[in-house]
Amino acid sequence: MKFKSQAVLAAAVAVSNVGVAQAHVFIWGVFVNGVDQGTFNGIRTPAYNGPPPRGYSNSPVKDLNSIDMRCNVLGDNQVPHTIKVAPGDNITLDWHHNNRTIADDVIDFSHHGPALVYLTPDPPTENSFVKIWEKGLYELGPTPFSPGKWATTWDIKANNGLMNFRIPANLKAGFYLIRAEMVGLHEADARFDQNSRRGAQFYPNCVQIEVVGDGTVELPEGVSFPGAYKYDDPGVHYNIYCSTERAPLAPCTDASTYKIPGPTVWSGAWPETTQVALGPVTGPTTATRWSSWIQQSVVTTATYDQAGSPVPVATSRYTASWSLAYAAPTASPAL
């Protein structure tokens, strides 16, 4: 990481102890076989993109050539905790918007689209991301322009933000990253490279895991991020309004032929995943006011005056720098 100060780096994803955060959808928790691993533990939470009260975490990534397509903004930054799992374990990712409760709206209902999960050794290399789960448009509406049922809005949102998959059977022990993703196609009738105000919206988020046991199966060759998706892919440039209640803005493709972006799911992944019973949430259910943010590759840290307004105190330029070899995470430096 190319930061002037490691303290500034840590602050880029840290929050203070007052106030309430705003956010797009991202992962707040991970359940392993129904047991919560603790709010934000093991999760490379994206940085905030502006000061309170209007900044938010996990702004969508639309530039398919950006390194942020890999694990979102600051996705190269390790977090101290790594979650231990075993082959065959049931994983439930807990996605939310404003808070980790069943009252949270998870994601706006307009953000119809697919959901996907990839697995890669940590750190990623060229063509190391292997798709192990996906779900897209799984039920057509009764008429060509009535709502179809999509993974993001009719499955995950309706299921209080829960995304379920399993660790591949007999997977070789080691350190991996789960790259989970929700995609909003509500502006995908246009291409971002032709109209930067629109385009498909990607919400990738990564989780650090250690697979234990005596498994022998290695992941096959996969795809790279960035690089796995192209602007002219039919699953990226797609008129979602063909399968919702709104009249189409452009000629429609048969919704039943929608192709989820990326490669096919690996044959070594579990063919079916069922939701397991979940225990109680461990840790906070609300995020607190953040003390730093990143805009145009510049990280700003701040304190707050008596009126509660942010007062910038330091800045540092950030450039993503992924390591080539695994190194155990270290505790965040004191701020």
Side-chain angles (χ1 to χ4, degrees):
M1 285 253 182
K2 300 177 182 177
F3 267 88
K4 292 180 181 177
S5 165
Q6 285 294 323
V8 173
L9 167 61
V13 293
V15 291
S16 67
N17 57 6
V18 290
V20 178
Q22 295 181 353
H24 273 72
V25 66
F26 64 111
I27 301 169
W28 286 56
V30 179
F31 293 86
V32 178
N33 298 324
V35 179
D36 185 29
Q37 303 301 296
T39 300
F40 298 131
N41 278 347
I43 303 163
R44 296 189 179 183
T45 303
Y48 286 89
N49 69 353
R54 299 186 182 278
Y56 49 84
S57 180
N58 202 10
S59 179
V61 182
K62 300 198 292 184
D63 181 355
L64 300 185
N65 299 313
S66 169
I67 191 63
D68 295 340
M69 281 295 295
R70 183 171 283 185
C71 288
N72 218 302
V73 180
L74 291 183
D76 55 329
N77 179 34
Q78 290 180 309
V79 293
H81 187 76
T82 299
I83 298 172
K84 288 186 182 294
V85 300
D89 279 352
N90 287 278
I91 308 299
T92 304
L93 303 181
D94 198 8
W95 292 79
H96 286 286
H97 182 191
N98 286 318
N99 55 72
R100 196 182 181 193
T101 70
I102 61 173
D104 184 56
D105 64 349
V106 182
I107 189 170
D108 191 272
F109 191 69
S110 68
H111 288 31
H112 303 290
L116 312 86
V117 176
Y118 293 83
L119 193 63
T120 176
D122 184 12
T125 58
E126 188 74 12
N127 297 325
S128 67
F129 287 87
V130 176
K131 188 187 287 184
I132 61 170
W133 179 86
E134 67 179 11
K135 192 169 186 177
L137 177 62
Y138 62 94
E139 184 177 322
L140 296 175
T143 68
F145 307 121
S146 60
K149 293 186 178 181
W150 290 84
T152 55
T153 48
W154 283 85
D155 181 9
I156 296 171
K157 177 182 173 70
N159 199 27
N160 299 317
L162 302 179
M163 176 189 284
N164 303 285
F165 61 96
R166 295 182 71 180
I167 301 299
N170 203 29
L171 185 64
K172 187 176 181 179
F175 295 94
Y176 296 83
L177 287 177
I178 294 168
R179 180 193 181 273
E181 174 178 52
M182 293 222 268
V183 184
L185 297 176
H186 50 297
E187 295 182 344
D189 57 294
R191 292 171 37 161
F192 174 76
D193 62 332
Q194 297 175 348
N195 181 355
S196 61
R197 292 180 178 272
R198 298 181 64 78
Q201 297 185 2
F202 298 84
Y203 296 89
N205 209 175
C206 289
V207 179
Q208 297 173 186
I209 62 169
E210 180 185 4
V211 175
V212 298
D214 56 2
T216 59
V217 173
E218 297 186 358
L219 292 176
E221 182 178 12
V223 295
S224 296
F225 285 101
Y229 306 155
K230 306 299 182 185
Y231 290 111
D232 59 356
D233 285 349
V236 173
H237 183 209
Y238 181 78
N239 187 356
I240 193 74
Y241 302 112
C242 293
S243 61
T244 65
E245 68 277 9
R246 292 178 56 180
L249 302 180
C252 287
T253 301
D254 183 356
S256 65
T257 65
Y258 175 77
K259 184 180 183 303
I260 297 172
T264 58
V265 173
W266 175 38
S267 61
W270 290 90
E272 294 183 3
T273 299
T274 57
Q275 184 173 332
V276 300
L278 302 181
V281 167
T282 302
T285 57
T286 59
T288 52
R289 185 174 62 183
W290 57 103
S291 58
S292 63
W293 55 89
I294 183 169
Q295 293 177 325
Q296 298 181 336
S297 299
V298 175
V299 175
T300 300
T301 58
T303 59
Y304 291 87
D305 60 23
Q306 292 183 344
S309 299
V311 179
V313 295
T315 60
S316 183
R317 181 161 291 275
Y318 161 75
T319 302
S321 180
W322 285 83
S323 62
L324 300 178
Y326 180 80
T330 57
S332 298
L335 301 183

